[in-house]
Amino acid sequence: MTIRVLLADDQTLVRAAFAMLVESAADMEVVGQAGTGRAAVDLARSERADLIVMDIRMPDLNGIEATRLLARDEDLAGVKVLMLTTYDTDEHVVDALRAGASGFLVKDTKPAELLEAIRTVAAGDALLSPGPTSRLIARVLRAPEPAAAGEGGPEGLSERERQVLSLVARGLNNSEIAETLGLSPLTAKTHVSRIMGKLGTRDRAQLVIVAYESGLVRPGVEGGG
């Protein structure tokens, strides 16, 4: 299946470079280019893109607001957003994840890594590099009050599900979660799917936000609660 990619960046040369790279991949095609967030939303509707590589800072409508509009539109519910930023310390990254982005990359990412990131997000997984992402969220989100005994995570989750959510927040994939908890990869995947269903989240990126905001994972504490 060919991944239909929309490129949104206000710098023409950046878009052109990304377009050449994406078109070089046999399993991808560029279906449109936008210089503003509003144009990206319009093109997503008209071109039926599978994924948008979206810059955070754009005129007219920035990437975060554009992502929020996409997430609210039921007709565009399947469109994934891979957010681009100049620095991995950009505090707007948290807002982008809250808005519905499935992950982020810095603009100086190696070409092969960008293509792999597009494939990862298009497949329905979140792209969250554990180091920069966890440090960023820990710094930006205000540490909540410690959870009371027996309340180590969002309401409605079992103890095992809280453990899985904590590992998701640390950036572990399903295979790594399975190895850590002594589960099969399929069981780990099932736990993650059930957690997303219970919490009403779109993907793993939003699970990370929930884990920190609920206090399940404490900023600055390895492994969380």
Side-chain angles (χ1 to χ4, degrees), residues 114-127:
L114 173 61
L115 295 179
E116 190 57 35
I118 291 174
R119 295 186 182 102
T120 297
V121 173
D125 294 325
L127 185 78

Side-chain angles (χ1 to χ4, degrees), residues 147 155 175 180 225:
E155 294 183 4
S175 296
T180 300

Side-chain angles (χ1 to χ4, degrees), residues 44-178:
R45 292 193 177 104
S46 63
E47 301 301 328
R48 311 309 299 177
D50 297 315
L51 179 144
I52 303 176
V53 179
M54 182 95 73
D55 189 21
I56 285 184
R57 292 179 171 84
M58 290 186 290
D60 183 27
L61 191 71
N62 64 42
I64 296 173
E65 291 303 320
T67 299
R68 189 169 287 117
L69 288 178
L70 291 166
R72 291 174 179 171
D73 190 328
E74 293 183 0
D75 292 335
L76 299 175
V79 179
K80 307 294 184 182
V81 175
L82 176 59
M83 196 68 69
L84 286 174
T85 180
T86 305
Y87 307 103
D88 65 8
T89 56
D90 191 333
E91 296 186 356
H92 291 295
V93 166
V94 173
D95 293 330
L97 296 178
R98 282 195 180 114
S102 293
F104 75 94
L105 285 177
V106 291
K107 284 189 175 181
D108 62 356
T109 295
K110 296 178 181 179
E113 293 176 348
L114 173 61
L115 295 179
E116 190 57 35
I118 291 174
R119 295 186 182 102
T120 297
V121 173
D125 294 325
L127 185 78
L128 295 170
S129 52
T133 304
S134 60
R135 288 197 301 270
L136 175 67
I137 294 175
R139 189 178 74 250
V140 174
L141 292 183
R142 181 175 301 170
E145 292 298 319
E151 297 179 354
E155 294 183 4
L157 297 186
S158 67
E159 180 60 30
R160 174 64 81 189
E161 288 169 340
R162 290 196 292 270
Q163 292 174 341
V164 171
L165 177 55
S166 176
L167 295 176
V168 169
R170 288 171 52 193
L172 275 64
N173 60 34
N174 290 340
S175 296
E176 292 166 337
I177 291 173

